């Protein structure tokens, strides 16, 4: 069984991750980290995340908080962070300092911040990804092949829709999809792919990639009806990263590494 610490247990994604990790017999959530000063600091993470029962793990105000057994971050195998950019950069620094594997699902980083994750991968196992869905991971492989075969024959556009609470646009997943497509083309570039972002109501996560040819249209799409698909994938990513940490194999990993 691996031990994990999760940030932002009240977050839309992190709360589901805590719930799914609790159900997984190979994972033990040993603690969560909330915003300092919040009224739920010290409460059981199972109640805070909406599970409705205690899981025997408390919410602390820092990864470096002292528990009964020692410092939280020193006790865990993997840190899971789906929070905000500024919080994630602090989490990254702490993971480097304490030599802990990190799964980060926060999006909207600058190129300079993404470079910091690449640098961290020289010393710890890191997965910085916008999407931990198995289906989206397969979708990326299909898109790379489609872009390679249709380069010069089709206009390529990505339409993504999310709720009105999502801050970044285009979505991190859309950017990753476009990156795969660009990687599959010989002469095409990321800038050749057009993005369309919709932020409305509580729209679920949807990504539709269009290849527009003369007289025909090819679509590859993904719709998430329940965000638990991402939480389940995140649990598998945790196990993968813990295994890499145990084997002392730092690196910048992706969900494709998990499912292969």
């Amino acid at each position: 069984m691996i031990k994990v610490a999760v940030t932002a247990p009240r977050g839309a994604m992190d709360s589901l991750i805590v719930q799914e990790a609790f159900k997984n017999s190979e994972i033990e959530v040993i603690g969560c980290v909330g915003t300092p000063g919040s009224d739920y600091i010290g409460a059981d993470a199972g109640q805070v995340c909406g599970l409705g029962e205690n899981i025997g793990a408390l919410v602390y105000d820092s990864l470096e908080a002292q528990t009964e057994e020692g410092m939280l971050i020193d006790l865990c195998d993997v840190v899971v962070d789906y929070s905000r950019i500024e919080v994630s950069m602090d989490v990254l620094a702490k993971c480097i300092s304490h030599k802990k594997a990190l799964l980060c699902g926060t999006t909207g980083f600058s190129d300079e911040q993404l470079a910091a994750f690449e640098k961290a991968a020289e010393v710890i196992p890191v997965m910085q990804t916008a999407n931990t869905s198995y289906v989206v991971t397969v979708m990326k492989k299909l898109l790379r092949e489609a872009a390679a075969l249709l380069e010069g024959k089709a206009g390529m556009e990505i339409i993504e829709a999310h709720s009105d609470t999502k801050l970044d646009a285009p979505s991190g997943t859309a950017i990753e999809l476009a990156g795969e497509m660009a990687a599959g083309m010989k002469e095409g570039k990321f800038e050749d792919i057009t993005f369309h972002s919709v932020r409305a109501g509580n729209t679920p996560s949807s990504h539709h990639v269009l290849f527009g040819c003369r007289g025909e249209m090819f679509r590859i799409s993904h719709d998430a009806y329940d965000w638990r698909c991402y939480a389940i994938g995140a649990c598998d990513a945790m196990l993968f990263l813990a295994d890499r940490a145990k084997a002392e194999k730092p690196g910048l990993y992706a969900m494709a590494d998990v499912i292969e």
Side-chain angles (χ1 to χ4, degrees), residues 10-59:
R10 276 192 173 174
M13 194 68 250
D14 305 74
S15 60
L16 293 177
I17 288 174
V18 174
Q19 293 176 31
E20 290 303 318
F22 178 66
K23 298 175 187 177
N24 193 310
S25 61
E26 297 182 80
I27 301 173
E28 178 186 3
V29 178
I30 64 169
C32 291
V33 180
T35 304
S38 298
D39 58 4
Y40 56 85
I41 299 298
D44 189 276
Q47 301 294 341
V48 175
C49 78
L51 184 63
E53 62 179 286
N54 291 343
I55 65 174
L58 301 181
V59 179

Side-chain angles (χ1 to χ4, degrees), residues 63-75:
L63 279 170
E64 296 179 327
Q66 288 293 331
T67 73
E68 292 183 357
E69 299 179 4
M71 190 179 292
L72 178 61
I73 193 170
D74 287 337
L75 298 173

Side-chain angles (χ1 to χ4, degrees), residues 121-134:
E122 297 176 6
V123 292
I124 61 173
V126 178
M127 186 181 299
Q128 192 285 312
T129 180
N131 201 300
T132 50
S133 159
Y134 270 62

Side-chain angles (χ1 to χ4, degrees), residues 127 132-141 233 236-237 240 254-260:
M127 186 181 299
T132 50
S133 159
Y134 270 62
V135 175
V136 169
T137 303
V138 173
M139 182 182 183
K140 289 178 182 178
K141 291 180 177 290
D236 288 336
F240 174 88
M255 277 303 291
D257 299 310
V258 177
I259 73 172
E260 289 179 351

Side-chain angles (χ1 to χ4, degrees), residues 140-156:
K140 289 178 182 178
K141 291 180 177 290
L142 298 176
L143 287 172
R144 180 187 283 245
E145 182 175 359
L149 296 173
L150 294 174
E151 181 179 3
K153 299 178 176 63
M156 303 178 190

Side-chain angles (χ1 to χ4, degrees), residues 91-108:
V91 169
L92 176 63
K94 286 182 169 61
C95 285
I96 294 171
S97 176
H98 293 267
K99 298 295 189 294
K100 295 297 177 178
L102 171 63
L103 168 61
C104 181
T106 306
T107 59

